[in-house]
Amino acid sequence: MSDDPTSRNRLDEAQSPYLRQHADNPVNWQPWDEQALDAAREQDKPIFLSIGYAACHWCHVMEEESFQDESVAAVLNEHFVPIKVDREERPDIDSVYMSICQQVTGGGGWPLSAWLTPEGEPFYVGTYFPPEEKRGQPGFGDLLERLAESWADPEDRAEMENRAQQWTDAIESDLEATPADPEDPADDLIQTAATIAHRGADRQNGGWGSGGPKFPQTGRLHVLLRAHADGGSPTDSGTAPAGAGDSDAADSYLAVVEETLDVMADRGLYDHVGGGFHRYSTDQQWAVPHFEKMLYDNAEIPRAFLAGYQAIGSERYASVVRETFAFVQRELQHDEGGFFSTLDAVSPPPGEPDGDTEEGAFYVWTPEQAHDAIEDETTADLFCEYYGVTGRGNFEGAAVLGVRKPLSVLAEEYELSESEVTERLESALDQAFDARQERPRPARDEKVLAGWNGLMIRALAEGAIVLDDAYADVAADALSFVREHLWDADEGRLARRYKDGDVGIDGYLEDYAFLGRGALALFEATGDIDHLAFAMNLGEAITEAFWDDGEETLYFTPTGGEALVARPQELTDHSTPSSTGVAVDLLLALDHFRADDRFETVAEGVVRTHANRTSSDPLQHASLTLATDTYEQGSLELTLVCDPENPPEEWMETLTETYVPRRLLAWRPAADDIVDEWLDALALSESPPIWAGRGLTAGNPTVYACRNFACSPPQTGLTTALDWGRE
């Protein structure tokens, strides 16, 4: 066998399901590793970098059209070093080259296609390329030929290398640079952000954007809910001091939340038969989704519905969360507790397990399929009318389910009560679910990612507080899985990926921040000190591995990690929350349990370093905006002194029913000897202020509510303590 790694396709050695999907391509694909990068330098060949993920529809299309083509493969193998990257495993690489794609083309997406010098500097970039020229896009094969010829021409190559240097400088400016003079964030930032979100909302169809695609914007929903809870109101000026405006105006923040949650629950983004959310809507009306299901969406969207349930009270929102959690447990959970990453958008058609895959085949319905699945004819008719299942359909001759007709109208048309219509529809969904289980299933990406599991753990922990404490057990199982397989307690370091017993890739900021926030939420849900201790360990690791004292920022990659052409920061929300924003939020919360101010110092440094970015565009930085607001306003500390395993029922009912922004639950055992055990678990010699001097009142469980060093008198009722916090 040749010593040249590029002489064969090496993806059969990869753990990533996405990379393994390309292991049989005639392209001599390489993973991103030193062997491939060294080969590019030694052979003086440009790199063709293709980035995607297992559930990416257009990634599959480009593979079928181009990467399985022998003639295309011959050009790639001869003139380039072709490298495949799973963006879910290597978000750092994706961040670097997506940055220049967005700057140069004005857009981005996957597959991301980038041509790099042997040193990794980009000189040509795009996303999907068709096999032949189409709508102004060059054909992929022709493009390869032209780039290969230009690289071989000394004059053209010099121009390409000059462009590569300019683009690399642009990447560094976009991702790595920090301002010379940190500053304080703008006043009333959350109100400004909410006013902008309100002004830009699609009041007819819900969400944001004047066309498709439409993505879940959960950060904006949390901004609106927080601003509403503070008593703010939309204004034309862009700011509103807390408490300003009449109640009707303040309610309009909540109206945007309600309109958006309603359409996300009722239309095609939601899987009405099996629960859970698809990735995004392809149209303005949320009717037809892009059908892949991602773990992170099915964590972050339920968190928004939980908050909406507390603020608005719609039982429909609670049902959506329960059904989504059931889907995640049923279809995305490892036997040992962790959570897998994605379900594909494509699968073979019903009844054709060996057929070619089609997008959405597992999820869409025809009237014939509905009537075959649902025994009672009238019930089947109700199902079709309610969910819009027609002969014409709305997606390639079939229908994506979405509520099309009010229950009251159906009840009148069929001369039934609304309760009977509801019962029949529930029966129809059960039967449709059973029938759908017989269809060929979408492929599942079974890698377990630390950060994405952290998002799911947080969602389940919040669900345990709001809906059912049994969700805490599910979250704890997932956290145990991640700690067992991905956490090195001796080194205090986290790996990113587990797949079939193989552990790999150093964790990124999002892994530490998301998992730490999940562990903290689980402490808030259970009062188990071990979860808080682990969150503290992750907070320590964040300040040690990702904080830069000179630049006063948190980088996405750890100090001493692999050097790319830029060391990125992640300040904006994308498909997942900003890791920087979540890290700041985590450190601000954990600071309450420390004797020193290390965590607060780091959080404050990040907030001030990026204050100008956050203030000038708060919605693009929604997670960082929320964290900045917590820094400005302070958390509402609720120290709960009792037996955490047996708290007063009134407390738990109040926590279930009440939306409280910036809330921090700090359980404290009533018995001093157990407090000492907790301090040992946290390696503290004395109680932090959030626990110090706070005991029972006349032997009764007691709540202490504090914000910014001001505290309420000890209270036995949680509602009374919350009333103080609102003053």
Side-chain angles (χ1 to χ4, degrees):
M1 181 180 293
S2 169
D3 291 335
D4 176 12
T6 66
S7 64
R8 67 181 186 89
N9 185 320
R10 291 199 293 130
L11 299 189
D12 58 349
E13 305 164 3
Q15 286 298 320
S16 161
Y18 173 65
L19 298 190
R20 293 181 74 91
Q21 287 172 358
H22 294 78
D24 294 328
N25 294 167
V27 177
N28 288 342
W29 288 117
Q30 307 293 298
W32 182 283
D33 62 11
E34 284 304 317
Q35 284 182 272
L37 299 176
D38 287 345
R41 288 187 287 265
E42 291 168 4
Q43 298 172 23
D44 194 33
K45 286 183 177 180
I47 294 167
F48 169 63
L49 176 63
S50 178
I51 303 177
Y53 57 101
C56 167
H57 173 68
W58 288 102
C59 300
H60 297 315
V61 172
M62 194 165 177
E63 179 195 13
E64 293 171 3
E65 293 176 341
S66 295
F67 301 147
Q68 292 180 3
D69 186 295
E70 296 282 353
S71 62
V72 169
V75 177
L76 274 171
N77 296 339
E78 180 178 356
H79 298 289
F80 302 89
V81 172
I83 295 180
K84 262 285 174 192
V85 164
D86 182 341
R87 79 168 181 98
E88 296 170 354
E89 286 195 340
R90 294 300 305 266
D92 55 334
I93 297 172
D94 180 60
S95 174
V96 166
Y97 296 107
M98 186 61 74
S99 167
I100 197 60
C101 181
Q102 291 170 332
Q103 290 184 65
V104 171
T105 70
W110 297 276
L112 176 62
S113 303
W115 285 261
L116 323 175
T117 68
E119 290 72 36
E121 298 178 339
F123 59 83
Y124 197 91
V125 69
T127 53
Y128 162 80
F129 288 96
E132 307 293 339
E133 183 178 357
K134 188 176 183 180
R135 296 177 184 173
Q137 277 189 302
F140 185 65
D142 291 341
L143 178 59
L144 290 177
E145 294 279 6
R146 292 205 304 271
L147 291 175
E149 290 173 4
S150 295
W151 187 260
D153 181 280
E155 187 173 334
D156 288 349
R157 175 167 173 171
E159 184 177 331
M160 295 163 83
E161 289 175 335
N162 181 58
R163 183 192 314 147
Q165 183 58 59
Q166 293 176 350
W167 284 10
T168 299
D169 292 343
I171 294 171
E172 292 176 349
S173 176
D174 181 40
L175 296 181
E176 189 169 346
T178 57
D181 298 312
E183 57 189 64
D184 291 329
D187 293 336
D188 296 318
L189 180 61
I190 203 71
Q191 296 297 331
T192 300
T195 300
I196 297 169
H198 176 269
R199 185 183 303 146
D202 180 349
R203 303 306 299 275
Q204 181 174 351
N205 298 293
W208 287 267
S210 57
K214 270 190 174 176
F215 288 85
Q217 302 276 4
T218 56
R220 300 183 184 194
L221 296 174
H222 290 296
V223 164
L224 287 163
L225 286 167
R226 187 176 293 191
H228 169 74
D230 287 348
S233 61
T235 69
D236 292 334
S237 64
T239 61
D246 58 42
S247 59
D248 290 340
D251 282 343
S252 61
Y253 280 154
L254 204 60
V256 172
V257 174
E258 187 169 11
E259 290 160 5
T260 301
L261 292 178
D262 284 349
V263 296
M264 289 170 64
D266 286 346
R267 300 186 189 171
L269 189 75
Y270 186 64
D271 179 0
H272 296 270
V273 171
F277 288 88
H278 299 292
R279 178 68 196 92
Y280 61 85
S281 172
T282 62
D283 61 289
Q284 186 175 359
Q285 290 75 32
W286 302 87
V288 177
H290 202 9
F291 289 93
E292 68 260 48
K293 287 183 173 181
M294 321 296 289
L295 179 64
Y296 54 75
D297 285 322
N298 288 287
E300 288 300 290
I301 297 174
R303 283 193 60 238
F305 273 87
L306 285 168
Y309 172 64
Q310 289 183 302
I312 297 168
S314 170
E315 287 297 328
R316 171 65 174 144
Y317 299 167
S319 296
V320 164
V321 175
R322 292 188 184 98
E323 292 164 6
T324 299
F325 286 170
F327 152 72
V328 170
Q329 290 178 257
R330 184 179 66 246
E331 299 192 36
L332 288 177
Q333 191 165 27
H334 189 286
D335 290 341
E336 297 176 27
F339 295 105
F340 300 127
S341 296
T342 66
L343 290 181
D344 212 330
V346 301
S347 59
E352 301 178 33
D354 298 322
D356 293 337
T357 59
E358 299 175 4
E359 186 175 7
F362 185 72
Y363 300 102
V364 297
W365 294 84
T366 64
E368 293 76 18
Q369 290 169 336
H371 280 268
D372 287 344
I374 300 165
E375 292 181 1
D376 181 78
E377 193 75 12
T378 300
T379 301
D381 288 340
L382 283 167
F383 176 87
C384 290
E385 285 204 49
Y386 186 67
Y387 289 113
V389 181
T390 65
R392 182 178 180 182
N394 62 353
F395 181 75
E396 298 181 2
V400 179
L401 301 189
V403 176
R404 296 292 191 274
K405 187 175 288 190
L407 283 173
S408 58
V409 174
L410 275 179
E412 183 177 347
E413 289 177 354
Y414 281 80
E415 298 181 350
L416 299 169
S417 67
E418 288 190 32
S419 61
E420 186 173 356
V421 172
T422 299
E423 289 175 6
R424 284 176 176 266
L425 288 174
E426 289 174 351
S427 173
L429 286 172
D430 290 341
Q431 294 176 69
F433 177 85
D434 291 340
R436 202 177 75 173
Q437 290 294 91
E438 302 302 317
R439 295 180 178 183
R441 303 186 66 79
R444 182 170 67 185
D445 185 331
E446 295 190 348
K447 62 178 180 287
V448 177
L449 298 176
W452 293 13
N453 272 252
L455 295 177
M456 196 69 233
I457 290 164
R458 182 181 186 182
L460 288 163
E462 293 180 4
I465 294 172
V466 177
L467 297 179
D468 186 341
D469 59 11
Y471 291 131
D473 295 332
V474 183
D477 288 344
L479 186 60
S480 295
F481 181 95
V482 175
R483 291 184 66 172
E484 177 183 351
H485 294 290
L486 296 175
W487 174 247
D488 185 332
D490 293 334
E491 296 294 328
R493 289 295 179 263
L494 185 64
R496 177 168 175 79
R497 185 259 296 142
Y498 171 94
K499 174 68 168 64
D500 294 335
D502 182 81
V503 173
I505 308 173
D506 292 339
Y508 301 106
L509 179 60
E510 75 168 37
D511 296 299
Y512 289 83
F514 294 174
L515 191 63
R517 197 61 189 81
L520 176 60
L522 195 51
F523 167 72
E524 293 185 277
T526 65
D528 186 334
I529 191 60
D530 191 46
H531 301 320
L532 177 59
F534 183 53
M536 296 289 279
N537 289 337
L538 291 169
E540 292 280 4
I542 287 171
T543 61
E544 291 173 6
F546 299 93
W547 169 249
D548 187 299
D549 272 316
E551 300 296 328
E552 291 197 272
T553 194
L554 290 167
Y555 285 101
F556 187 74
T557 54
T559 302
E562 180 182 352
L564 303 175
V565 296
R567 188 182 181 194
Q569 303 167 85
E570 187 182 63
L571 305 175
T572 58
D573 288 25
H574 297 290
S575 53
T576 54
S578 153
S579 56
T580 303
V582 175
V584 170
D585 178 69
L586 173 65
L587 294 175
L588 288 171
L590 293 179
D591 181 70
H592 294 275
F593 300 95
R594 280 183 72 109
D596 60 29
D597 61 357
R598 171 64 172 165
F599 287 170
E600 183 183 33
T601 298
V602 171
E604 180 181 13
V606 175
V607 165
R608 297 190 72 249
T609 294
H610 301 295
N612 185 57
R613 284 190 185 221
T614 309
S615 301
S616 61
D617 196 348
L619 295 186
Q620 282 295 104
H621 303 83
S623 294
L624 193 52
T625 293
L626 290 163
T628 299
D629 173 66
T630 300
Y631 165 77
E632 287 185 305
Q633 304 296 328
S635 297
L636 177 60
E637 309 163 23
L638 296 175
T639 302
L640 308 176
V641 185
C642 65
D643 175 2
E645 295 184 3
N646 188 30
E649 186 174 329
E650 179 266 333
W651 290 8
M652 303 317 295
E653 289 176 354
T654 300
L655 289 173
T656 292
E657 298 168 354
T658 312
Y659 174 78
V660 184
R662 311 174 202 89
R663 183 203 66 201
L664 176 63
L665 298 182
W667 299 91
R668 181 193 185 278
D672 289 340
D673 58 336
I674 300 179
V675 173
D676 290 339
E677 293 176 8
W678 281 29
L679 295 178
D680 288 342
L682 299 179
L684 295 175
S685 59
E686 59 183 14
S687 290
I690 201 167
W691 288 335
R694 300 181 183 181
L696 301 176
T697 300
N700 295 314
T702 304
V703 181
Y704 295 81
C706 301
R707 191 196 303 273
N708 292 333
F709 309 107
C711 296
S712 73
Q715 306 287 349
T716 57
L718 183 57
T719 301
T720 306
L722 289 177
D723 288 341
W724 175 90
R726 294 190 184 98
E727 292 177 358

